[in-house]
Amino acid sequence: MAIGFATKDRGGRRRNLLELVVMAVTAALFVLFAIGIEGFATPGNLGVVLSNSASLVILSCGMAVVIVSRGLELALIAEMVAGATTFSILINAGVGGPEALLLAVGAMALVGCANAWLIAYVEIPAMLATLASAMFVTGLVRYAVLGGEFLLLLPKSNPAVVLLSGDILPGVPAPVALMVAALVATGFLLRYSAAGRTIYAMGDNFQAARLGGLPVRTTTIVVYVFAALMALFAGLVTAAASGTVDFRTVTNGSLLFEVILVVVLGGIPLRGGRGGVRNIIVGVALIAVLRNGMTLMNVTTQMQDVIKGFVLIIAIVLDNYLNPRDTETDTAGDL
Amino acid sequence: MTPILELRNGTKEYRGVPAVKDVTFTLHRGEVHALVGENGAGKSTLTKMLAGVVTPTAGEVLLDGRATVLSTPAEALRHGIAMVYQETSLVPSLTVAQNLYLADKRFFHRLRGIYIAGQQFLQSLNFDVDPMALVSSLGAGQKQMVEIARAVHHNANVIIFDEPTATLTPEEKHQFFSLVDRLRARGVSIIFISHALEEALAIADRITVMRDGEHVVSDEAARFDRESIVRAMVGRSLSDELYGARARRSPREAREKVLSVQNLSMGKAVKNTSFSVFSGQITGVFGLIGSGRTEAAKVVAGVMKRDTFHGGQVRLDGRPVRYRVPRPAVRDGIVYVTEDRKLEGFFETMSIAENIHLSAVAGGRSRSRVISLREMKEIADTWIGALNVRAINGDARVIELSGGNQQKVVVAKALVQKPRLVIFDEPTRGVDVGAIAEIHQLINRLADEGIAVMVISSYLPEVLQLSDRILVCRQGRIVEEFAGDSADEETIMYAAVH
């Protein structure tokens, strides 16, 4: 067979070799940093690495589900910021914690539904629909809620700050618990639910899924609502950690880039239909180790961006080399 | 004399499945060489290797006796090899002359210049096509002329035609044959893929027969007749069982009218057509490619939308229905089995079992919201057994199966949804002879069980063999209806082309 490199697992399915390479590189970097950087391999620092990647993991869960269904969610960061703002404003206005969370969940579900409606019913390409909704949502929240400001300061009494900056169990910070919960939820959705099988089917062959009578439209709603909710939780985690909601994370775009980087590096191809929770973990592990190591080495943010961009290109080139595309059997729209 | 083009021991595999196995094919200078064989015999793949569209997995291409690697169609064209496809590769929004000069090396053309040059060039070929006409305004025959002119313009000395006559009217066919003669007179060598054996016998100098990806025989056309070609094509008398001697059974009686379509219109493909399908019998639909049969079926199954205004009516059990997506149609028991299984038939990352089970879920045959592996295995094993899918086990991926077994999986996906009306679109395309018989048996069994079955096919013997009623489709309309036992090939074909 043409795919000589690929290994096979139980079901005779191809294992993604990129995933193995990324795991090996992560391990190598870890060893290198542990030897070369003082204070990297301490329990304290590793705890920080874990806590710091919580919001990235949660966002990546949302993005991964969308990409497996062969969609793209460019409004993820906008939803994250908008969700955190909605929650905090409600708290400031005197609404109770649980009610505020419920309303924020409702608002984000609405945004997710709007995205899905544009994509599944109006049939606008996902990239354009979510790009437009990202602009719309950010602009609306800044105009209507913040009065043009781009920064929202959270008081120390904000329940999100209180809850998410403490430990849920002794030694388990709340963001880490939330991160694990997100991974478990994503795993269940993709692997064991009927909707999850439809998500893979849509990513694999949308025409066949539609023709076979699978609920492609309602599943699109499930996908984008799930992503929006993940964004909301990630937003709360980030807001609690920094004490602010910063709209510049939407406009500078580097977080969105990082999320896509995690998904692609982890081995979830943009053409959809493949990948799972394990891939998210693999992708985040590399980015988290790299980010922490570079920060400890005092690499400037700009230089970090250069390196991350470089890593993405290397990964894509490597993927093309390891899983050569067969132009004769490609389906239209493959990336 | 060295042949102008040769494929020596060529093999082409798609994902490990050979489409062409160790075939040696030679084309002599100035000859017309017909390539015949059943659907899926490997004719197209063989010629694609010669035209640089695909690269052989093993073996080599020899040009004038020298081994040459043709990795792209453009490279083959530089060596003088051009391929003319069934679906033309012209740009519809440009004029004839612009299409002719499209691939020229010059960066910039004066329009007037190419119209004059185009006019002279077309005249020199004796083609009656206006160089200033838009390609989209031309008929199938004229488009083909432009394709051929383009090939000649690029100094092609080998031209490969992939089923050139399939979509042509009789007059256009006649023109095409005289064109082939003129090309031969100019010293052009021609490969000609055809299903129509009489054409091959009439215009070819030599004939090569292929079967199941293997070379069967090559010889002078004069040494063949229709019977000997058919024998070589099918290899055994199985084809006689299948098509030759039709089972002399009386047509099944119609039970209830399940589907009734009135004045259905959809864009340019379906124009004001009406037909009905009854339970307990097989309704065959015959028509040439582009006659609108697939589109009409797809509208019924909710895959495509009919025109918003004056789109006509579709009634299921007398109840008007209008589906925007296939899902409600599937839930109502209408299942469409696609003609292109690779494009829209199955999920290639999933196993046979997952494919079948997911379809059961879609059809509402599995209530649970959480996937049960045990249920999946049960459903899959039942259908793999019932349809005799040959695979190691249900965990094998569909893409690794042969065409016939892939088709059985696609059929299983449809039947697991317990349909009341099944529309088979080209059910045996690219399927090996053995599996064809099994699929035909299955279709007959469905009708016996009282399901309404519609079979769309462009292969006349198949339509004749299966159908209790035959509808003939031409230019977006059902133009004629025959009882299954009263029709013969000539009358049906006559209705389909005139």
Side-chain angles (χ1 to χ4, degrees), chain B residues 50-52 55 63 68-81:
Chain B
L50 294 172
T55 42
L63 198 66
T68 314
V69 178
L70 303 169
S71 49
T72 63
E75 206 170 320
L77 197 56
R78 271 202 300 283
H79 286 108
I81 304 165

Side-chain angles (χ1 to χ4, degrees), chain A residues 8 11 13 188 192-194 197 200-201 204-205 207-215 217 273-274 328-329, chain B residues 12 14-15 54-55 303 325-327 330 338 342-344 346-350 354 358 362 369-371 395 417:
Chain A
K8 286 197 164 188
R13 213 152 308 186
F188 178 81
Y192 298 108
S193 74
R197 302 313 309 170
Y200 280 107
D204 181 316
N205 188 338
Q207 283 311 323
R210 193 177 111 94
L211 202 67
L214 287 169
R217 285 180 161 175
R274 298 163 175 86
E328 295 154 17
T329 52
Chain B
K12 176 67 193 175
Y14 290 106
R15 299 183 195 246
V54 301
T55 42
V303 185
V325 286
R327 181 170 174 77
V330 167
T338 175
K342 173 135 187 18
L343 207 62
E344 51 186 25
F346 58 83
F347 306 110
E348 59 173 64
T349 58
M350 297 189 193
E354 284 171 310
L358 197 51
R369 304 266 86 209
V370 176
I371 299 296
D395 288 339
Q417 301 180 326

